[in-house]
Amino acid sequence: MESDDEQLLRGRVYGQDHERPGPRPGQRYVELVGGPLDGLLLDVTDWSRTELGTGVALATELGRFGAGGRATYDPRPGDARRFDWSGDMPP
């Protein structure tokens, strides 16, 4: 069973205001798969091709290291719409 925190994150955009949690028209998103941010969308509208190919470390309190920690996600080979969780980083 999912925790209340995990249920709240479903269908939301990472870093988005809670007043407007969903995707916005005209923006480009990737889905975060696995790890503490599983199911969230990440806005990559202004990312360069290079940035899209390198992955990202995102701040989260839900990861292994708690507050100040980061969850790392890498582009899924062959699927530009998804980033897969590759681990957590300490603060």
Side-chain angles (χ1 to χ4, degrees):
M1 179 179 238
E2 293 183 6
S3 72
D4 290 340
D5 285 340
E6 289 170 334
Q7 288 178 358
L8 285 173
L9 293 175
R10 299 279 177 223
R12 294 182 173 271
V13 175
Y14 174 83
Q16 195 85 31
D17 183 338
H18 291 287
E19 303 277 322
R20 290 189 66 170
R24 296 181 183 177
Q27 302 296 101
R28 211 168 100 215
Y29 300 93
V30 295
E31 179 183 2
L32 302 174
V33 180
L37 303 176
D38 184 48
L40 285 179
L41 300 175
L42 178 64
D43 186 345
V44 295
T45 304
D46 296 326
W47 289 29
S48 70
R49 186 174 297 245
T50 301
E51 290 171 319
L52 285 170
T54 59
V56 65
L58 301 168
T60 180
E61 295 180 6
L62 301 175
R64 175 178 170 201
F65 298 100
R70 296 186 178 276
T72 58
Y73 288 85
D74 295 313
R76 181 180 289 180
D79 187 351
R81 298 172 301 147
R82 291 184 175 83
F83 277 23
D84 293 314
W85 178 66
S86 57
D88 293 326
M89 297 172 50

